[in-house]
Amino acid sequence: MEIRDITGSPMEIYIHIPFCIKKCDYCDFLSGPSGPKEQEAYVQALIEEIHAVKEGKGRSVSSIFIGGGTPSVLDARFIGEILNEIREKFLIENNAEITIEVNPGTADRKKLRAYRSYGINRMSIGLQSPDDRELKILGRIHNYGQFLETYKNARDVGFDNINIDLMSAIPDQTYEGWEKNLCTVAELEPEHISAYSLIIEEGTPFASRKLNLPDEDTEYNMYEATARILREYGFEQYEISNYAKDGRACRHNIGYWTRQDYLGFGLGASSLYGKERFANTADREIYLQNSSRPELIREREPVLTREDEMAEFMFLGLRMTGGIAKTDFEQNFGCPIEEIYGEVLKKYKSMKLLEEKDGRVFLSREGIHVSNSVMAEFLL
Ligand code: SF4
């Protein structure tokens, strides 16, 4: 296949580490337990893949996200080696945002210090709940005390940009319990909070259990409380599930929602490059054997048509509370947005699910609650 070289705009890099100490009871991510040998072989394969890719030549990289899984289960030196290879291969911007996901109980102060020395400047900690009873229900490996230790260590070694992941609608959770969780975490003053509600995924232990889940009204109220309470603590909502202090929105994720090119490395990692979306195989054996020949591990989707690109522009852009700029649409696609989506915009504006202000179109509060059905209408 011919590799196009698209120079000019910056791109992003995602690294997938598919290892966890043990599987949480709700999780269907591509991740699982592993031994040291397996980890070493995987990192080697990852480095070979990074070394071999042809895309990205001459492009600057504005963000790197090391996610999983639990990247912090790896020996710190492996993270250093992966980042070294990325630096050898790509032009990393001086002020690039470099994030690593960490789970409590898997990273001591020494490991966190090593991350800093590799240039990692943002940390995302998977807490999910400050309530030990809820952590147990979720099947997490850690308690709140261990999280506090990780958080303090991260601050001590110099991380000044930290996200905390929280989960709502956990079995047996009450509205009051969620409010308390939010306040407890907001009081720690992280720069960013991601607050997702639990989704029961097929094939997980949760899917086969009888769970006492909050009803729809409670979930609605929990979601509304999240934005309100976090605002009181100085966080602004900038996306359906993400809240940040001023200037601390996650640049990597914004790149994703604004369709910036990104290359994903590792098992099952997906990429958007030019008009192509592709994903690496999720088969560990195939990946390990062939990662030095990226064409053998990639599963390609059909090249994006102009209609696909317009739909993506809309439904990814509408995830952000600022929505999309009509002028950006026109610049990207050479025609006014009304020419393509006039009817849909009119319909949802009249239903008060979409709003328009200063040339931007965005979901209303009510629209956010039914965002999936609104966004589906932008598929052409
Ligand atoms: S730590 Fe994260 S990726 Fe690993 S099993 Fe739990 S939820 Fe899934």
Coordinates of all heavy atoms in Angstrom, one line a residue, residues 51-88:
H51 N 9.1 1.3 15.4 CA 10.2 1.4 14.5 C 9.8 1.3 13.0 O 10.4 1.9 12.2 CB 11.3 0.4 14.9 CG 12.6 0.6 14.2 ND1 13.5 1.6 14.6 CD2 13.2 0.0 13.2 CE1 14.5 1.5 13.9 NE2 14.4 0.6 13.0
A52 N 8.9 0.4 12.8 CA 8.6 0.0 11.4 C 7.6 0.9 10.7 O 7.6 0.9 9.5 CB 8.1 -1.4 11.4
V53 N 6.8 1.6 11.4 CA 5.7 2.4 10.7 C 6.3 3.4 9.8 O 7.3 4.0 10.0 CB 4.7 3.1 11.6 CG1 3.9 2.1 12.4 CG2 5.3 4.1 12.5
K54 N 5.5 3.6 8.7 CA 6.0 4.6 7.7 C 5.2 5.9 7.8 O 5.7 6.9 7.4 CB 5.8 4.0 6.3 CG 6.6 2.7 6.1 CD 6.8 2.5 4.6 CE 7.8 1.3 4.3 NZ 7.2 0.0 4.8
E55 N 4.1 5.9 8.4 CA 3.3 7.1 8.6 C 4.0 8.0 9.6 O 4.7 7.6 10.5 CB 1.9 6.8 9.1 CG 1.0 6.1 8.1 CD 1.1 4.6 8.2 OE1 2.1 4.1 8.9 OE2 0.3 3.9 7.6
G56 N 3.7 9.3 9.5 CA 4.1 10.2 10.5 C 5.4 10.9 10.2 O 5.9 11.8 11.0
K57 N 6.0 10.6 9.1 CA 7.3 11.2 8.7 C 7.1 12.7 8.5 O 6.2 13.1 7.8 CB 7.7 10.6 7.4 CG 9.2 10.3 7.3 CD 9.5 9.4 6.1 CE 10.4 10.2 5.1 NZ 10.4 9.5 3.8
G58 N 7.9 13.4 9.2 CA 7.9 14.9 9.0 C 6.7 15.6 9.7 O 6.6 16.8 9.7
R59 N 5.9 14.8 10.5 CA 4.8 15.4 11.2 C 5.3 15.6 12.7 O 6.0 14.8 13.2 CB 3.6 14.4 11.3 CG 3.1 14.0 9.9 CD 2.1 15.0 9.4 NE 0.9 15.2 10.2 CZ -0.2 14.6 10.1 NH1 -0.3 13.6 9.3 NH2 -1.2 14.9 10.8
S60 N 4.8 16.8 13.2 CA 5.1 16.9 14.6 C 4.0 16.3 15.5 O 2.9 16.1 15.0 CB 5.2 18.4 15.0 OG 4.0 19.0 14.8
V61 N 4.4 15.8 16.7 CA 3.5 15.1 17.5 C 3.1 16.0 18.7 O 4.0 16.5 19.5 CB 4.1 13.8 18.0 CG1 3.2 13.1 19.1 CG2 4.3 12.9 16.8
S62 N 1.8 16.3 18.9 CA 1.4 17.3 20.0 C 1.0 16.5 21.2 O 1.0 17.2 22.3 CB 0.3 18.1 19.5 OG -0.8 17.3 19.1
S63 N 0.7 15.2 21.2 CA 0.4 14.5 22.4 C 0.7 13.0 22.3 O 0.5 12.5 21.2 CB -1.1 14.8 22.8 OG -1.9 14.1 22.0
I64 N 1.0 12.5 23.4 CA 1.2 11.0 23.5 C 0.3 10.5 24.7 O 0.4 11.2 25.7 CB 2.7 10.6 23.7 CG1 3.6 11.2 22.6 CG2 2.9 9.1 23.9 CD1 5.1 11.1 22.9
F65 N -0.4 9.5 24.5 CA -1.2 8.9 25.6 C -0.9 7.4 25.7 O -1.1 6.7 24.8 CB -2.7 9.1 25.2 CG -3.6 8.9 26.4 CD1 -4.1 10.1 27.1 CD2 -4.0 7.7 26.9 CE1 -5.0 9.9 28.2 CE2 -4.8 7.5 28.0 CZ -5.3 8.6 28.6
I66 N -0.4 7.1 26.9 CA -0.1 5.7 27.2 C -1.2 5.2 28.0 O -1.4 5.5 29.2 CB 1.3 5.6 27.9 CG1 2.4 6.3 27.1 CG2 1.7 4.1 28.1 CD1 3.7 6.5 27.9
G67 N -2.0 4.3 27.4 CA -3.3 3.9 28.1 C -3.4 2.4 28.1 O -2.5 1.6 27.6
G68 N -4.5 1.9 28.6 CA -4.6 0.4 28.7 C -6.0 0.0 29.0 O -7.0 0.7 28.7
G69 N -6.1 -1.1 29.7 CA -5.1 -1.8 30.5 C -4.6 -0.8 31.7 O -5.2 0.2 32.0
T70 N -3.5 -1.3 32.2 CA -2.9 -0.5 33.3 C -1.4 -0.4 32.9 O -0.6 -1.3 33.3 CB -3.0 -1.3 34.6 OG1 -4.4 -1.6 34.9 CG2 -2.5 -0.5 35.8
P71 N -1.0 0.7 32.2 CA 0.4 0.8 31.9 C 1.3 0.7 33.1 O 2.5 0.3 32.9 CB 0.4 2.2 31.2 CG -0.9 2.4 30.7 CD -1.8 1.8 31.7
S72 N 0.8 1.1 34.2 CA 1.7 1.2 35.4 C 2.0 -0.2 36.0 O 2.8 -0.3 36.9 CB 1.2 2.1 36.5 OG -0.2 1.7 36.8
V73 N 1.5 -1.3 35.4 CA 1.9 -2.6 35.9 C 3.3 -2.9 35.3 O 4.0 -3.8 35.8 CB 0.9 -3.8 35.5 CG1 -0.4 -3.6 36.2 CG2 0.8 -4.0 34.0
L74 N 3.6 -2.3 34.2 CA 4.9 -2.5 33.6 C 6.1 -2.0 34.4 O 5.9 -1.0 35.1 CB 5.0 -1.9 32.2 CG 4.2 -2.5 31.0 CD1 4.5 -1.7 29.8 CD2 4.5 -3.9 30.8
D75 N 7.2 -2.6 34.3 CA 8.4 -2.1 34.9 C 8.6 -0.7 34.3 O 8.4 -0.5 33.1 CB 9.6 -3.0 34.3 CG 10.5 -3.3 35.4 OD1 10.1 -4.0 36.3 OD2 11.7 -2.8 35.2
A76 N 9.0 0.3 35.1 CA 9.1 1.7 34.6 C 10.1 1.8 33.4 O 9.8 2.5 32.4 CB 9.6 2.6 35.7
R77 N 11.2 1.0 33.4 CA 12.1 1.1 32.3 C 11.5 0.8 31.0 O 11.9 1.4 29.9 CB 13.4 0.2 32.6 CG 13.2 -1.2 32.3 CD 14.3 -2.1 32.7 NE 13.9 -3.4 33.0 CZ 13.9 -4.4 32.0 NH1 14.3 -4.1 30.8 NH2 13.4 -5.6 32.3
F78 N 10.5 -0.1 30.9 CA 9.8 -0.3 29.7 C 9.2 0.9 29.1 O 9.2 1.2 27.9 CB 8.8 -1.5 29.8 CG 9.4 -2.8 30.0 CD1 8.8 -3.7 30.9 CD2 10.5 -3.2 29.3 CE1 9.3 -5.0 31.0 CE2 11.1 -4.5 29.5 CZ 10.5 -5.4 30.4
I79 N 8.5 1.7 30.0 CA 7.9 2.9 29.5 C 9.0 3.8 28.9 O 8.8 4.5 27.9 CB 7.1 3.6 30.7 CG1 6.1 2.7 31.3 CG2 6.5 4.9 30.3 CD1 4.9 2.4 30.4
G80 N 10.1 3.9 29.6 CA 11.2 4.7 29.1 C 11.7 4.3 27.7 O 11.9 5.1 26.8
E81 N 11.8 3.0 27.5 CA 12.2 2.4 26.2 C 11.2 2.8 25.1 O 11.6 3.1 24.0 CB 12.5 0.9 26.3 CG 13.7 0.6 27.1 CD 13.8 -0.9 27.5 OE1 13.1 -1.7 26.8 OE2 14.6 -1.2 28.4
I82 N 9.9 2.6 25.5 CA 8.9 2.9 24.5 C 9.0 4.4 24.1 O 9.0 4.8 22.9 CB 7.5 2.6 25.0 CG1 7.4 1.1 25.2 CG2 6.4 3.1 24.1 CD1 6.2 0.7 26.1
L83 N 9.1 5.3 25.1 CA 9.2 6.7 24.7 C 10.4 7.1 24.0 O 10.4 7.9 23.1 CB 9.0 7.5 26.0 CG 7.6 7.6 26.6 CD1 7.6 8.2 28.0 CD2 6.7 8.4 25.7
N84 N 11.5 6.4 24.3 CA 12.8 6.6 23.6 C 12.6 6.3 22.1 O 13.0 7.1 21.2 CB 13.9 5.7 24.1 CG 14.6 6.3 25.3 OD1 14.3 7.5 25.6 ND2 15.3 5.5 26.0
E85 N 11.9 5.2 21.8 CA 11.7 4.8 20.4 C 10.8 5.8 19.7 O 11.1 6.2 18.6 CB 11.1 3.4 20.4 CG 11.0 2.8 19.0 CD 12.3 2.6 18.3 OE1 13.3 2.3 19.0 OE2 12.4 2.9 17.1
I86 N 9.8 6.3 20.4 CA 8.9 7.3 19.8 C 9.7 8.6 19.5 O 9.6 9.1 18.4 CB 7.7 7.6 20.8 CG1 6.8 6.4 20.9 CG2 7.0 8.8 20.3 CD1 5.7 6.6 21.8
R87 N 10.6 8.9 20.4 CA 11.4 10.2 20.2 C 12.4 10.0 19.0 O 12.7 10.9 18.3 CB 12.1 10.6 21.5 CG 11.2 11.1 22.5 CD 11.9 12.0 23.6 NE 10.9 12.6 24.4 CZ 10.5 12.0 25.6 NH1 10.9 10.9 26.0 NH2 9.6 12.7 26.3
E88 N 12.9 8.8 18.9 CA 13.8 8.5 17.8 C 13.1 8.7 16.4 O 13.6 9.1 15.4 CB 14.2 7.0 17.8 CG 15.2 6.7 18.9 CD 16.7 7.0 18.5 OE1 17.0 6.6 17.3 OE2 17.4 7.7 19.2

